[in-house]
Amino acid sequence: MAGTAEKAKADTWFGRRAWLLAVGLVLAQSALLAWDLESDYRSTLETEYARLGDAARIADENISGSLRAIDLLLRDVGEEYAQRGTAAPVAMSEFMATRARGFPEVRTVMVTNPEGIITATTRPEIRGWDIHDRSYFTQVRSAANWERTFFTPLTLAKPTNVYVIFVTRALPTHDGQWAGIVSATLEIKMFDALLASIRPDDASSAVAFVGKDGRIISRVPDPERFVGLDISKGPHFQQHVTTGQKSSFYRSITRTDGVEKISAARTVADGAFALFVSKSVAEVLASWRHQAIDLGIGSLALSIALLSFTGLAIRHHRREACARALAETAQERIEFLAYHDTLTGLPNRVLAEDRMKVAMAYADRSKFQLALLLFDLDNFKTINDTFGHQFGDEVLKGVANRLVGCMRDSDTVSRYGGDKFLVVIADARCPDAVSCVAEKILQVLAEPLDIEDHIVSISASIGIAVYPEDGRDFETLLRKVDTAMYQAKEVGRNTCRFFDQGMTSGAEEHLRLRHSLLRALEYHEFVLHYQPLINLASGDVIGAEALIRWKHPELGVVPPGRFIPVAEDNGLIVPIGEWVLHEACQQLANWQKDGLSGLVVAVNLSALQFKRGNLEASVVAALDHAGLDPACLELELTESILIKDVDTVLATVKRLKALGLRLSIDDFGTGYSSLAYLKRFKVDKLKIDQSFVRDLILDPEDATIVRTIIQMARSLNLRTIAEGVENEATLHHLRGLHCDEAQGYHIARPMPADAFAEFVVHIRR
């Protein structure tokens, strides 16, 4: 009994010792393994640091040797120039060219006089250039020590657009006075070859040659991709600059590719440049990691055998904890998505409305006002069409971040949808305070966004509605703020507008005209009037401009200024324009049948007819249907048509000209008046805008503009017509300026077709 008890006691004691021994062995083995791996880890890194340092030293020697050779070239040129002087620039240039043949990396060698005029150079075409304001000249001129060799930062040479570096030395006289500079232009390709020759063979290694301004001059691999990249704010560059040492080593994430690397840095040419040789930490430690895994497997085998039960228990516990965490996370995500925008993370419309209602209740209690701002980004569709929707999403994220950064915590910034954003401003004390917030938003958005190496400029149109003055519920305020936002767009975009009741009236009228236009063509409510065009030399009527009028059954005669913008806005200007073409051509054919010969009809074209309509087919159909000679049709184009989508418009214009019809530029002088497009588009006539003609007699500036347009047109073999002639004195003055044609109320107002025919018969009697 006692033996059994003692055996049991011994077994217990042995079991405890065995457990303690097993645990001790596991801990001892783990400690030894950790110490061994740590030693190998440090040894691996130290070996790689030494290897990178050797590569940086070799690169330093190669580059420094090349720079010393170029410096020697400059010294030889300087000494030769000191002997020759400025008397023999051609001979000096030949000497420089001969010496520079051994330096293929040198694009140009030049010498200047004290004033910065190039007196001798290997490139004869730049002799005589004034470079006194160039950085490589002023840098040397203002230096205290002229014995140094100066290096410029990376420079984009013009007009070749090639990256170069200028190596420059001063040319002092024998008595130490300033005599100019001798300078060599180096192509950065020389550094690509030098770096490639010493770059380690590892796929992740890279060698970068950087100017003291932090911009990359050369980097292998991919030199063209990284040239000019500014890394002055990067940790590598900052660490090396702050050490002030010839060489240094460090480990960090590189700015060029976002990869953690170990690097060796070295100063070149007395601090003018820096070398960085780097290699991915992952690749450096790859073999060490494999070794660690192999050793760890053996160690883990014993630990797993001894602690399997504990491991299973922990695993089971972790699975349960993970499941609970995933369920909680999923629920939180569902709740977040229900009230937030998935792209920007901003509150969505549902949450914005909820917060708006809370803010309205608070405003009622505190007697404060509440402001609702709605804005969308101007021309955001162009960004999407140009760069793609993914790029547009990044722009929206950037805008959202800026909005959140410039608003108070008590305000709500929400993405309403698309490129629209809602802002709820709590306790808005006065309209001026709300205006300041809107202006602040415009200023913040005006700062360019850097998205995927593209600089994007953003503007917005903002509508503002105030609670409770403009409405006492969210939907009413939203409808009115939307009206105010579109009013901001109509007045030129990039601005803000408060809602007022007049906007609603204007919107209702716009909508009414929009619906009425849909039926105007079907119900034959449009008519054409014709304003005579006369030849100033003979006084004869040579044609008419077709002008559309709308006889609305309820509003009466609606002037073009009211319904043309609406038609252009909803796209109806295209079928209306086609109707005008057919009607004008048919009317001219009718006049010809009645014996009125020698007339031309001029028809105005809209920009939308070029974009959306099949203009060429419409013109051909109108001419064929009327049986009209194309030479009798004149199409009037605005300058804005010619400068948008130039290639497409030019192709269309060429085909129209090939038909034999005439082209004129309407309202010339008020837009982008350019000789270039007059030459390219082969127009026949310029119509001088009435804003210049109306006060021609009284305003010397208008007279000068009209005279200049006429003289320019005559020199280009173009005819001119002046519109807006309202008195005899203006008509007489235009004859004196040799203007070819005229139209205006003094001659005749626009009139129906029958009245126009009678007018022509009367004039030709």
Side-chain angles (χ1 to χ4, degrees), residues 52 55 195 198-209 218-222 226 236 254 256-257 261-264 275-280 283:
L52 295 178
L195 298 186
I198 60 93
R199 178 193 170 218
D201 296 332
D202 313 289
S204 68
S205 63
V207 185
F209 185 56
S218 176
R219 180 192 184 275
V220 290
D222 298 334
F226 293 98
H236 285 200
T254 60
T256 53
D257 51 18
K261 294 185 177 181
I262 59 172
S263 302
L275 268 169
F276 298 91
V277 184
S278 58
K279 185 177 180 180
S280 166
E283 187 167 339

PDB file of all heavy atoms in Angstrom, residues 52 55 195 198-209 218-222 226 236 254 256-257 261-264 275-280 283:
ATOM      1  N   LEU A  52      26.142  46.461 -51.686  1.00  0.00           N
ATOM      2  CA  LEU A  52      25.564  47.680 -52.258  1.00  0.00           C
ATOM      3  C   LEU A  52      26.522  48.860 -52.122  1.00  0.00           C
ATOM      4  O   LEU A  52      26.612  49.716 -53.001  1.00  0.00           O
ATOM      5  CB  LEU A  52      24.237  47.996 -51.557  1.00  0.00           C
ATOM      6  CG  LEU A  52      23.105  46.979 -51.741  1.00  0.00           C
ATOM      7  CD1 LEU A  52      21.881  47.413 -50.949  1.00  0.00           C
ATOM      8  CD2 LEU A  52      22.757  46.816 -53.203  1.00  0.00           C
ATOM      9  N   ALA A  55      29.054  48.659 -54.830  1.00  0.00           N
ATOM     10  CA  ALA A  55      28.469  49.092 -56.106  1.00  0.00           C
ATOM     11  C   ALA A  55      28.348  50.607 -56.157  1.00  0.00           C
ATOM     12  O   ALA A  55      28.623  51.239 -57.187  1.00  0.00           O
ATOM     13  CB  ALA A  55      27.098  48.442 -56.304  1.00  0.00           C
ATOM     14  N   LEU A 195      25.227  53.708 -64.883  1.00  0.00           N
ATOM     15  CA  LEU A 195      24.503  53.021 -63.812  1.00  0.00           C
ATOM     16  C   LEU A 195      24.189  51.580 -64.196  1.00  0.00           C
ATOM     17  O   LEU A 195      24.257  50.686 -63.357  1.00  0.00           O
ATOM     18  CB  LEU A 195      23.221  53.775 -63.483  1.00  0.00           C
ATOM     19  CG  LEU A 195      23.372  55.213 -62.964  1.00  0.00           C
ATOM     20  CD1 LEU A 195      22.021  55.761 -62.548  1.00  0.00           C
ATOM     21  CD2 LEU A 195      24.353  55.292 -61.815  1.00  0.00           C
ATOM     22  N   ILE A 198      26.969  48.960 -63.458  1.00  0.00           N
ATOM     23  CA  ILE A 198      27.301  48.542 -62.092  1.00  0.00           C
ATOM     24  C   ILE A 198      26.091  48.025 -61.332  1.00  0.00           C
ATOM     25  O   ILE A 198      26.205  47.616 -60.199  1.00  0.00           O
ATOM     26  CB  ILE A 198      27.957  49.714 -61.312  1.00  0.00           C
ATOM     27  CG1 ILE A 198      27.011  50.920 -61.225  1.00  0.00           C
ATOM     28  CG2 ILE A 198      29.275  50.086 -61.930  1.00  0.00           C
ATOM     29  CD1 ILE A 198      26.157  50.989 -60.036  1.00  0.00           C
ATOM     30  N   ARG A 199      24.915  48.067 -61.956  1.00  0.00           N
ATOM     31  CA  ARG A 199      23.716  47.611 -61.246  1.00  0.00           C
ATOM     32  C   ARG A 199      23.782  46.117 -60.987  1.00  0.00           C
ATOM     33  O   ARG A 199      24.102  45.339 -61.875  1.00  0.00           O
ATOM     34  CB  ARG A 199      22.481  47.920 -62.078  1.00  0.00           C
ATOM     35  CG  ARG A 199      21.184  47.425 -61.435  1.00  0.00           C
ATOM     36  CD  ARG A 199      20.045  47.450 -62.407  1.00  0.00           C
ATOM     37  NE  ARG A 199      18.891  46.759 -61.866  1.00  0.00           N
ATOM     38  CZ  ARG A 199      18.080  45.992 -62.576  1.00  0.00           C
ATOM     39  NH1 ARG A 199      18.303  45.814 -63.855  1.00  0.00           N
ATOM     40  NH2 ARG A 199      17.041  45.397 -62.021  1.00  0.00           N
ATOM     41  N   PRO A 200      23.513  45.679 -59.746  1.00  0.00           N
ATOM     42  CA  PRO A 200      23.477  44.235 -59.457  1.00  0.00           C
ATOM     43  C   PRO A 200      22.458  43.533 -60.349  1.00  0.00           C
ATOM     44  O   PRO A 200      21.498  44.128 -60.822  1.00  0.00           O
ATOM     45  CB  PRO A 200      23.062  44.190 -57.975  1.00  0.00           C
ATOM     46  CG  PRO A 200      23.467  45.522 -57.430  1.00  0.00           C
ATOM     47  CD  PRO A 200      23.292  46.499 -58.553  1.00  0.00           C
ATOM     48  N   ASP A 201      22.695  42.226 -60.568  1.00  0.00           N
ATOM     49  CA  ASP A 201      21.848  41.469 -61.494  1.00  0.00           C
ATOM     50  C   ASP A 201      20.489  41.124 -60.923  1.00  0.00           C
ATOM     51  O   ASP A 201      19.638  40.590 -61.616  1.00  0.00           O
ATOM     52  CB  ASP A 201      22.560  40.164 -61.903  1.00  0.00           C
ATOM     53  CG  ASP A 201      23.833  40.454 -62.686  1.00  0.00           C
ATOM     54  OD1 ASP A 201      23.873  41.511 -63.335  1.00  0.00           O
ATOM     55  OD2 ASP A 201      24.764  39.632 -62.623  1.00  0.00           O
ATOM     56  N   ASP A 202      20.265  41.402 -59.653  1.00  0.00           N
ATOM     57  CA  ASP A 202      18.997  41.022 -59.029  1.00  0.00           C
ATOM     58  C   ASP A 202      17.843  41.803 -59.639  1.00  0.00           C
ATOM     59  O   ASP A 202      17.966  42.979 -59.964  1.00  0.00           O
ATOM     60  CB  ASP A 202      19.059  41.292 -57.526  1.00  0.00           C
ATOM     61  CG  ASP A 202      20.358  40.751 -56.921  1.00  0.00           C
ATOM     62  OD1 ASP A 202      20.500  39.527 -56.823  1.00  0.00           O
ATOM     63  OD2 ASP A 202      21.210  41.593 -56.614  1.00  0.00           O
ATOM     64  N   ALA A 203      16.716  41.127 -59.755  1.00  0.00           N
ATOM     65  CA  ALA A 203      15.553  41.758 -60.394  1.00  0.00           C
ATOM     66  C   ALA A 203      15.056  42.964 -59.619  1.00  0.00           C
ATOM     67  O   ALA A 203      14.535  43.918 -60.193  1.00  0.00           O
ATOM     68  CB  ALA A 203      14.426  40.727 -60.545  1.00  0.00           C
ATOM     69  N   SER A 204      15.207  42.956 -58.300  1.00  0.00           N
ATOM     70  CA  SER A 204      14.632  44.037 -57.488  1.00  0.00           C
ATOM     71  C   SER A 204      15.596  45.181 -57.231  1.00  0.00           C
ATOM     72  O   SER A 204      15.235  46.160 -56.587  1.00  0.00           O
ATOM     73  CB  SER A 204      14.158  43.474 -56.141  1.00  0.00           C
ATOM     74  OG  SER A 204      15.278  43.074 -55.356  1.00  0.00           O
ATOM     75  N   SER A 205      16.847  45.050 -57.673  1.00  0.00           N
ATOM     76  CA  SER A 205      17.831  46.097 -57.384  1.00  0.00           C
ATOM     77  C   SER A 205      17.642  47.281 -58.321  1.00  0.00           C
ATOM     78  O   SER A 205      17.144  47.141 -59.443  1.00  0.00           O
ATOM     79  CB  SER A 205      19.250  45.551 -57.519  1.00  0.00           C
ATOM     80  OG  SER A 205      19.492  45.132 -58.853  1.00  0.00           O
ATOM     81  N   ALA A 206      18.027  48.454 -57.854  1.00  0.00           N
ATOM     82  CA  ALA A 206      17.914  49.677 -58.650  1.00  0.00           C
ATOM     83  C   ALA A 206      19.038  50.620 -58.260  1.00  0.00           C
ATOM     84  O   ALA A 206      19.510  50.616 -57.122  1.00  0.00           O
ATOM     85  CB  ALA A 206      16.565  50.347 -58.432  1.00  0.00           C
ATOM     86  N   VAL A 207      19.477  51.411 -59.228  1.00  0.00           N
ATOM     87  CA  VAL A 207      20.506  52.424 -58.991  1.00  0.00           C
ATOM     88  C   VAL A 207      19.945  53.751 -59.470  1.00  0.00           C
ATOM     89  O   VAL A 207      19.458  53.847 -60.604  1.00  0.00           O
ATOM     90  CB  VAL A 207      21.817  52.107 -59.729  1.00  0.00           C
ATOM     91  CG1 VAL A 207      22.894  53.121 -59.347  1.00  0.00           C
ATOM     92  CG2 VAL A 207      22.282  50.706 -59.416  1.00  0.00           C
ATOM     93  N   ALA A 208      19.993  54.757 -58.605  1.00  0.00           N
ATOM     94  CA  ALA A 208      19.456  56.073 -58.952  1.00  0.00           C
ATOM     95  C   ALA A 208      20.536  57.132 -58.771  1.00  0.00           C
ATOM     96  O   ALA A 208      21.284  57.111 -57.782  1.00  0.00           O
ATOM     97  CB  ALA A 208      18.246  56.403 -58.090  1.00  0.00           C
ATOM     98  N   PHE A 209      20.613  58.032 -59.737  1.00  0.00           N
ATOM     99  CA  PHE A 209      21.535  59.178 -59.686  1.00  0.00           C
ATOM    100  C   PHE A 209      20.668  60.424 -59.560  1.00  0.00           C
ATOM    101  O   PHE A 209      19.836  60.695 -60.422  1.00  0.00           O
ATOM    102  CB  PHE A 209      22.375  59.221 -60.957  1.00  0.00           C
ATOM    103  CG  PHE A 209      23.442  60.290 -60.952  1.00  0.00           C
ATOM    104  CD1 PHE A 209      24.391  60.350 -59.939  1.00  0.00           C
ATOM    105  CD2 PHE A 209      23.489  61.244 -61.960  1.00  0.00           C
ATOM    106  CE1 PHE A 209      25.372  61.329 -59.952  1.00  0.00           C
ATOM    107  CE2 PHE A 209      24.461  62.215 -61.968  1.00  0.00           C
ATOM    108  CZ  PHE A 209      25.403  62.258 -60.959  1.00  0.00           C
ATOM    109  N   SER A 218      18.880  59.954 -63.397  1.00  0.00           N
ATOM    110  CA  SER A 218      18.894  58.658 -64.078  1.00  0.00           C
ATOM    111  C   SER A 218      18.578  57.581 -63.065  1.00  0.00           C
ATOM    112  O   SER A 218      18.931  57.688 -61.892  1.00  0.00           O
ATOM    113  CB  SER A 218      20.267  58.403 -64.721  1.00  0.00           C
ATOM    114  OG  SER A 218      20.322  57.105 -65.311  1.00  0.00           O
ATOM    115  N   ARG A 219      17.879  56.547 -63.531  1.00  0.00           N
ATOM    116  CA  ARG A 219      17.581  55.403 -62.676  1.00  0.00           C
ATOM    117  C   ARG A 219      17.463  54.178 -63.543  1.00  0.00           C
ATOM    118  O   ARG A 219      16.783  54.193 -64.572  1.00  0.00           O
ATOM    119  CB  ARG A 219      16.266  55.609 -61.920  1.00  0.00           C
ATOM    120  CG  ARG A 219      15.901  54.438 -60.990  1.00  0.00           C
ATOM    121  CD  ARG A 219      14.468  54.569 -60.509  1.00  0.00           C
ATOM    122  NE  ARG A 219      14.097  53.542 -59.563  1.00  0.00           N
ATOM    123  CZ  ARG A 219      13.645  52.325 -59.879  1.00  0.00           C
ATOM    124  NH1 ARG A 219      13.549  51.989 -61.166  1.00  0.00           N
ATOM    125  NH2 ARG A 219      13.291  51.459 -58.933  1.00  0.00           N
ATOM    126  N   VAL A 220      18.174  53.140 -63.167  1.00  0.00           N
ATOM    127  CA  VAL A 220      18.039  51.870 -63.863  1.00  0.00           C
ATOM    128  C   VAL A 220      17.534  50.843 -62.861  1.00  0.00           C
ATOM    129  O   VAL A 220      17.983  50.830 -61.709  1.00  0.00           O
ATOM    130  CB  VAL A 220      19.387  51.427 -64.484  1.00  0.00           C
ATOM    131  CG1 VAL A 220      19.766  52.313 -65.639  1.00  0.00           C
ATOM    132  CG2 VAL A 220      20.517  51.396 -63.459  1.00  0.00           C
ATOM    133  N   PRO A 221      16.529  50.052 -63.279  1.00  0.00           N
ATOM    134  CA  PRO A 221      15.929  50.055 -64.623  1.00  0.00           C
ATOM    135  C   PRO A 221      14.927  51.191 -64.829  1.00  0.00           C
ATOM    136  O   PRO A 221      14.690  51.963 -63.930  1.00  0.00           O
ATOM    137  CB  PRO A 221      15.199  48.703 -64.665  1.00  0.00           C
ATOM    138  CG  PRO A 221      14.817  48.470 -63.226  1.00  0.00           C
ATOM    139  CD  PRO A 221      15.966  49.030 -62.405  1.00  0.00           C
ATOM    140  N   ASP A 222      14.326  51.256 -66.042  1.00  0.00           N
ATOM    141  CA  ASP A 222      13.279  52.228 -66.416  1.00  0.00           C
ATOM    142  C   ASP A 222      13.749  53.673 -66.266  1.00  0.00           C
ATOM    143  O   ASP A 222      13.134  54.470 -65.557  1.00  0.00           O
ATOM    144  CB  ASP A 222      12.017  52.028 -65.574  1.00  0.00           C
ATOM    145  CG  ASP A 222      11.402  50.667 -65.774  1.00  0.00           C
ATOM    146  OD1 ASP A 222      11.627  50.096 -66.861  1.00  0.00           O
ATOM    147  OD2 ASP A 222      10.708  50.171 -64.865  1.00  0.00           O
ATOM    148  N   PHE A 226      11.381  57.332 -64.741  1.00  0.00           N
ATOM    149  CA  PHE A 226      11.621  58.026 -63.483  1.00  0.00           C
ATOM    150  C   PHE A 226      12.373  59.339 -63.635  1.00  0.00           C
ATOM    151  O   PHE A 226      12.520  60.064 -62.652  1.00  0.00           O
ATOM    152  CB  PHE A 226      12.409  57.119 -62.529  1.00  0.00           C
ATOM    153  CG  PHE A 226      11.638  55.926 -62.065  1.00  0.00           C
ATOM    154  CD1 PHE A 226      11.795  54.677 -62.658  1.00  0.00           C
ATOM    155  CD2 PHE A 226      10.721  56.046 -61.039  1.00  0.00           C
ATOM    156  CE1 PHE A 226      11.067  53.578 -62.229  1.00  0.00           C
ATOM    157  CE2 PHE A 226       9.988  54.956 -60.594  1.00  0.00           C
ATOM    158  CZ  PHE A 226      10.153  53.720 -61.197  1.00  0.00           C
ATOM    159  N   HIS A 236      14.641  58.244 -48.172  1.00  0.00           N
ATOM    160  CA  HIS A 236      16.021  57.965 -48.594  1.00  0.00           C
ATOM    161  C   HIS A 236      16.812  59.257 -48.728  1.00  0.00           C
ATOM    162  O   HIS A 236      17.900  59.416 -48.163  1.00  0.00           O
ATOM    163  CB  HIS A 236      16.006  57.229 -49.939  1.00  0.00           C
ATOM    164  CG  HIS A 236      15.604  55.801 -49.807  1.00  0.00           C
ATOM    165  ND1 HIS A 236      15.899  54.865 -50.755  1.00  0.00           N
ATOM    166  CD2 HIS A 236      14.936  55.136 -48.837  1.00  0.00           C
ATOM    167  CE1 HIS A 236      15.425  53.694 -50.388  1.00  0.00           C
ATOM    168  NE2 HIS A 236      14.816  53.837 -49.232  1.00  0.00           N
ATOM    169  N   THR A 254      10.810  52.875 -50.453  1.00  0.00           N
ATOM    170  CA  THR A 254      11.190  53.859 -51.462  1.00  0.00           C
ATOM    171  C   THR A 254       9.974  54.561 -52.006  1.00  0.00           C
ATOM    172  O   THR A 254       8.886  53.988 -52.098  1.00  0.00           O
ATOM    173  CB  THR A 254      11.948  53.196 -52.623  1.00  0.00           C
ATOM    174  OG1 THR A 254      11.094  52.223 -53.219  1.00  0.00           O
ATOM    175  CG2 THR A 254      13.223  52.540 -52.121  1.00  0.00           C
ATOM    176  N   THR A 256       9.800  55.758 -55.109  1.00  0.00           N
ATOM    177  CA  THR A 256       9.602  55.498 -56.543  1.00  0.00           C
ATOM    178  C   THR A 256       8.683  54.326 -56.815  1.00  0.00           C
ATOM    179  O   THR A 256       7.885  54.357 -57.739  1.00  0.00           O
ATOM    180  CB  THR A 256      10.962  55.246 -57.226  1.00  0.00           C
ATOM    181  OG1 THR A 256      11.647  54.208 -56.497  1.00  0.00           O
ATOM    182  CG2 THR A 256      11.799  56.504 -57.231  1.00  0.00           C
ATOM    183  N   ASP A 257       8.776  53.258 -55.987  1.00  0.00           N
ATOM    184  CA  ASP A 257       7.938  52.092 -56.250  1.00  0.00           C
ATOM    185  C   ASP A 257       7.214  51.561 -55.026  1.00  0.00           C
ATOM    186  O   ASP A 257       6.524  50.552 -55.097  1.00  0.00           O
ATOM    187  CB  ASP A 257       8.783  50.967 -56.873  1.00  0.00           C
ATOM    188  CG  ASP A 257      10.055  50.678 -56.068  1.00  0.00           C
ATOM    189  OD1 ASP A 257      10.100  51.094 -54.895  1.00  0.00           O
ATOM    190  OD2 ASP A 257      10.969  50.049 -56.616  1.00  0.00           O
ATOM    191  N   LYS A 261      13.168  48.623 -49.087  1.00  0.00           N
ATOM    192  CA  LYS A 261      14.483  48.283 -49.609  1.00  0.00           C
ATOM    193  C   LYS A 261      15.569  48.686 -48.626  1.00  0.00           C
ATOM    194  O   LYS A 261      15.371  49.551 -47.772  1.00  0.00           O
ATOM    195  CB  LYS A 261      14.732  48.983 -50.948  1.00  0.00           C
ATOM    196  CG  LYS A 261      13.825  48.511 -52.079  1.00  0.00           C
ATOM    197  CD  LYS A 261      14.205  49.160 -53.391  1.00  0.00           C
ATOM    198  CE  LYS A 261      13.335  48.637 -54.532  1.00  0.00           C
ATOM    199  NZ  LYS A 261      13.713  49.243 -55.824  1.00  0.00           N
ATOM    200  N   ILE A 262      16.722  48.030 -48.770  1.00  0.00           N
ATOM    201  CA  ILE A 262      17.929  48.514 -48.112  1.00  0.00           C
ATOM    202  C   ILE A 262      18.733  49.255 -49.163  1.00  0.00           C
ATOM    203  O   ILE A 262      18.753  48.866 -50.331  1.00  0.00           O
ATOM    204  CB  ILE A 262      18.742  47.365 -47.479  1.00  0.00           C
ATOM    205  CG1 ILE A 262      19.156  46.334 -48.537  1.00  0.00           C
ATOM    206  CG2 ILE A 262      17.967  46.702 -46.364  1.00  0.00           C
ATOM    207  CD1 ILE A 262      20.108  45.291 -47.996  1.00  0.00           C
ATOM    208  N   SER A 263      19.391  50.311 -48.744  1.00  0.00           N
ATOM    209  CA  SER A 263      20.044  51.181 -49.721  1.00  0.00           C
ATOM    210  C   SER A 263      21.396  51.632 -49.212  1.00  0.00           C
ATOM    211  O   SER A 263      21.621  51.779 -48.006  1.00  0.00           O
ATOM    212  CB  SER A 263      19.179  52.411 -50.018  1.00  0.00           C
ATOM    213  OG  SER A 263      17.921  52.026 -50.483  1.00  0.00           O
ATOM    214  N   ALA A 264      22.284  51.842 -50.186  1.00  0.00           N
ATOM    215  CA  ALA A 264      23.561  52.494 -49.922  1.00  0.00           C
ATOM    216  C   ALA A 264      23.558  53.811 -50.681  1.00  0.00           C
ATOM    217  O   ALA A 264      23.263  53.852 -51.876  1.00  0.00           O
ATOM    218  CB  ALA A 264      24.726  51.623 -50.385  1.00  0.00           C
ATOM    219  N   LEU A 275      24.143  59.278 -55.131  1.00  0.00           N
ATOM    220  CA  LEU A 275      23.905  57.959 -55.707  1.00  0.00           C
ATOM    221  C   LEU A 275      23.138  57.104 -54.698  1.00  0.00           C
ATOM    222  O   LEU A 275      23.434  57.136 -53.500  1.00  0.00           O
ATOM    223  CB  LEU A 275      25.233  57.272 -56.030  1.00  0.00           C
ATOM    224  CG  LEU A 275      25.801  57.459 -57.434  1.00  0.00           C
ATOM    225  CD1 LEU A 275      27.222  56.950 -57.462  1.00  0.00           C
ATOM    226  CD2 LEU A 275      24.966  56.744 -58.465  1.00  0.00           C
ATOM    227  N   PHE A 276      22.180  56.344 -55.189  1.00  0.00           N
ATOM    228  CA  PHE A 276      21.435  55.429 -54.343  1.00  0.00           C
ATOM    229  C   PHE A 276      21.406  54.067 -55.024  1.00  0.00           C
ATOM    230  O   PHE A 276      20.919  53.943 -56.150  1.00  0.00           O
ATOM    231  CB  PHE A 276      20.004  55.928 -54.122  1.00  0.00           C
ATOM    232  CG  PHE A 276      19.922  57.255 -53.419  1.00  0.00           C
ATOM    233  CD1 PHE A 276      19.899  58.436 -54.159  1.00  0.00           C
ATOM    234  CD2 PHE A 276      19.889  57.324 -52.047  1.00  0.00           C
ATOM    235  CE1 PHE A 276      19.833  59.657 -53.522  1.00  0.00           C
ATOM    236  CE2 PHE A 276      19.815  58.540 -51.412  1.00  0.00           C
ATOM    237  CZ  PHE A 276      19.793  59.711 -52.137  1.00  0.00           C
ATOM    238  N   VAL A 277      21.970  53.058 -54.352  1.00  0.00           N
ATOM    239  CA  VAL A 277      21.927  51.677 -54.837  1.00  0.00           C
ATOM    240  C   VAL A 277      21.072  50.902 -53.843  1.00  0.00           C
ATOM    241  O   VAL A 277      21.382  50.866 -52.651  1.00  0.00           O
ATOM    242  CB  VAL A 277      23.335  51.068 -54.939  1.00  0.00           C
ATOM    243  CG1 VAL A 277      23.251  49.672 -55.547  1.00  0.00           C
ATOM    244  CG2 VAL A 277      24.253  51.956 -55.765  1.00  0.00           C
ATOM    245  N   SER A 278      19.999  50.302 -54.319  1.00  0.00           N
ATOM    246  CA  SER A 278      19.047  49.684 -53.406  1.00  0.00           C
ATOM    247  C   SER A 278      18.610  48.321 -53.905  1.00  0.00           C
ATOM    248  O   SER A 278      18.724  48.000 -55.094  1.00  0.00           O
ATOM    249  CB  SER A 278      17.817  50.577 -53.234  1.00  0.00           C
ATOM    250  OG  SER A 278      17.202  50.809 -54.480  1.00  0.00           O
ATOM    251  N   LYS A 279      18.125  47.548 -52.964  1.00  0.00           N
ATOM    252  CA  LYS A 279      17.635  46.204 -53.278  1.00  0.00           C
ATOM    253  C   LYS A 279      16.484  45.871 -52.357  1.00  0.00           C
ATOM    254  O   LYS A 279      16.479  46.261 -51.187  1.00  0.00           O
ATOM    255  CB  LYS A 279      18.762  45.185 -53.117  1.00  0.00           C
ATOM    256  CG  LYS A 279      18.367  43.766 -53.534  1.00  0.00           C
ATOM    257  CD  LYS A 279      19.544  42.820 -53.433  1.00  0.00           C
ATOM    258  CE  LYS A 279      19.157  41.397 -53.842  1.00  0.00           C
ATOM    259  NZ  LYS A 279      20.301  40.477 -53.737  1.00  0.00           N
ATOM    260  N   SER A 280      15.519  45.129 -52.870  1.00  0.00           N
ATOM    261  CA  SER A 280      14.339  44.766 -52.105  1.00  0.00           C
ATOM    262  C   SER A 280      14.720  43.932 -50.889  1.00  0.00           C
ATOM    263  O   SER A 280      15.488  42.967 -50.989  1.00  0.00           O
ATOM    264  CB  SER A 280      13.367  43.992 -52.993  1.00  0.00           C
ATOM    265  OG  SER A 280      12.384  43.367 -52.220  1.00  0.00           O
ATOM    266  N   GLU A 283      13.799  40.274 -51.318  1.00  0.00           N
ATOM    267  CA  GLU A 283      14.725  39.439 -52.075  1.00  0.00           C
ATOM    268  C   GLU A 283      16.002  39.167 -51.291  1.00  0.00           C
ATOM    269  O   GLU A 283      16.565  38.079 -51.347  1.00  0.00           O
ATOM    270  CB  GLU A 283      15.058  40.121 -53.405  1.00  0.00           C
ATOM    271  CG  GLU A 283      15.873  39.249 -54.332  1.00  0.00           C
ATOM    272  CD  GLU A 283      15.925  39.790 -55.741  1.00  0.00           C
ATOM    273  OE1 GLU A 283      15.047  40.591 -56.100  1.00  0.00           O
ATOM    274  OE2 GLU A 283      16.847  39.408 -56.464  1.00  0.00           O
TER     275      GLU A 283
END
